[in-house]
Each structure stands twice: as C-alpha cells, then as structure tokens.
Amino acid sequence: GPRPAWITTDQEGGGVARLSPPLPEQPALGDVLSGLTSGKAIESAALTYARQQAEGLASLGVNLNLAPVVDIDHQVVNPADQFTRISTRALSDDPEVVARAAGAYCQGLAEYDIRCTFKHFPGIGRVFNDTHVERAVLAESPARLRESDWIPFQRLSDADSSPWFMLSHVVLADVDPDQPASTSARVVHGLLRDQWNFDGVLITDDFCMRAIHDAPGGIGQATVDALNAGVDIVLVSYDPDQYYPAMYALLKADEEGRLNDTRLQQSRARVQAAAAD
C-alpha cells in the first residue's frame, strides 16, 4: 500500500533557513527569546514564532521540519567552524528555557500538521570540533549530561506521543568510543531504546558530512550500521548522489544476511505510527 512521504526541510530561522527565500526571513529563535524571564512569555514568543514559520512551510507542502535545536549553549566557539556554529543557533544556556521554548515551538508547528525534530542528540553544545569536516568527541559523562544537556530531550520526549530526535555524528565517548552516535548500537539501542525506552523516530544528521563520509567504510558502512542499530531514517542531503553508495551497501548487506530484520520491522512500525498520529 502507499507509504507516507515526509517532505522535509531545515528551517530553524536565523542562519539556518533553507527556504528563505521564498519564505520570509526570521531572526534566530534564541535572539527572540533573549531577555525574556517568565515561562509564559517564553512559551508565547516561541509559539508565535512557530506559527509564523509554519504557515509558510505548510503553504509549500512541508510536513516535517528539522527543528528546533535543543542543544544547550555552552558558549563554545570554534573560530574555524564555518558550518555548525551551534552557539548562534541554540535557544538558551538554560535547559529549562530550552525545554519550554521547544515545546511551544512544536505546538505551533503541529497546528499546521507539521512535525518537529529535536536535535542534535546527544547534544553538541559542548563540542568544539565540527562534524561537517572532521571527527568530533563529546567527552562529558552521561551523569553530567543528564543534569543539563539531556533535560530538554527527556522532557520533550515524555510530553510528545511520537517524538522525533535527530542524531548527531559526535562520538559519545563514555558510551561508545568508536562509533558516532548516529551509527552506534550502544547509543541508539542500548541508551535510547533500552534505557530511555524511547520509541519515537530517530533520524540522522546528514550522512554527507565528513565525520561519516571520511570514516572507515564511508557512507555505505555507516548506513548499514545505523539501521542495524535501530535508526529509522538516514538523511542524505548535501550531495544527493551519495544515495547510491548508501543504497548499494544496503542491498549488498541484505543479500548477505547482514541486516537486522527485527530492527527494520520495528523502524517501519515507528514511521508508520508517526504518520498516522
């Protein structure tokens, strides 16, 4: 039977707004929230912002937005970072503000039947290196991350019946020192699926980024690893031609019996449930 088509874009506002133009430009949501102190004011500003954004996205047929950023702003600035610049995209340095604003933002999108995506798990606000161009490591312990960086992810996933997380390509060293979070069975299946009981949709950050593309086995091996780990959707965005090595690796792995059928069936069920919700 027919499958749902997720029409997706990266429209955060501010410096990351793939559809502006034609859609009107908006300041970064973090800038809009700056100076607001009451919870109600924060939620109201984020809701208004999202409604304005969602009206334009819906008019173009978008039903999944790869936003909001829920990484915490730890004021980490890498002068050589031309792409991630997370300190300019984060909503706040306060996890409580981030959780409130992101929840209201997603409510505004939902009013226009647009899904939101919480990114970039396990959090990249503390990370200096840019995964667009090189390997990067998140060295903080899970205990420390639970006290700050993971607060928005956990609170928002508890409040959403079918949450979406975007997985970053940073290495969560204390959980899996070898694999990026986006391809790691220890992070995806062990931490999120088993420990957190997370049953929402997991989508990766762009697999064209060099932290994936330049790793041993390249995008092909990474795609196989990600789906076997319990990831639901692999994102290939910057260079569409990378779809072909990714799909070739999957077809070969399937032929050789190296794909986890149970995980694939679970992923299919999650994506279908998200479409029906």
Side-chain angles (χ1 to χ4, degrees), residues 28-242:
L29 179 53
D31 292 344
V32 173
L33 301 175
S34 180
L36 300 180
T37 55
S38 78
K40 287 186 177 180
I42 290 165
E43 291 173 358
S44 176
L47 181 61
T48 298
Y49 184 97
R51 285 169 172 163
Q52 293 170 347
Q53 191 178 83
E55 183 176 5
L57 293 176
S59 73
L60 299 177
V62 172
N63 59 12
L64 174 65
N65 194 19
L66 302 179
V69 171
V70 297
D71 306 294
I72 307 303
D73 184 8
H74 290 286
Q75 304 295 321
V76 174
V77 178
N78 177 355
D81 177 4
Q82 301 179 39
F83 302 105
T84 299
R85 310 180 317 280
I86 205 64
S87 189
T88 69
R89 298 161 58 196
L91 305 187
S92 174
D93 59 3
D94 184 337
E96 299 292 335
V97 171
V98 172
R100 276 183 175 271
Y105 173 89
C106 289
Q107 178 186 336
L109 294 190
E111 291 176 5
Y112 289 80
D113 295 322
I114 299 172
R115 285 264 175 195
C116 66
T117 311
F118 305 119
K119 62 184 187 184
H120 310 74
F121 190 84
I124 58 176
R126 300 175 185 269
V127 178
F128 185 79
N129 298 81
D130 179 8
T131 55
H132 287 82
V133 296
E134 60 186 336
R135 184 176 186 269
V137 176
L138 177 57
E140 292 292 341
S141 69
R144 180 78 179 274
L145 293 169
R146 276 192 290 270
E147 295 173 353
S148 59
D149 299 64
W150 288 355
I151 288 174
F153 287 104
Q154 291 183 309
R155 190 167 299 171
L156 293 163
S157 65
D158 288 343
D160 193 325
S161 61
S162 185
W164 290 59
F165 280 9
M166 175 180 280
L167 297 166
S168 75
H169 304 318
V170 300
V171 173
L172 182 56
D174 276 17
V175 176
D176 187 343
D178 301 315
Q179 293 272 84
S182 55
T183 68
S184 169
R186 295 181 188 176
V187 173
V188 174
H189 189 70
L191 176 63
L192 285 173
R193 299 294 188 203
D194 284 353
Q195 293 183 30
W196 285 30
N197 294 316
F198 181 84
D199 199 37
V201 176
L202 293 175
I203 183 172
T204 70
D205 208 340
D206 188 3
F207 263 30
C208 299
M209 293 161 69
R210 292 183 67 177
I212 293 293
H213 189 274
D214 293 354
I219 192 172
Q221 186 60 52
T223 303
V224 172
D225 289 345
L227 295 189
N228 279 341
V231 170
D232 303 302
I233 299 176
V234 170
L235 178 63
V236 177
S237 177
Y238 179 74
D239 179 4
D241 285 347
Q242 295 304 315

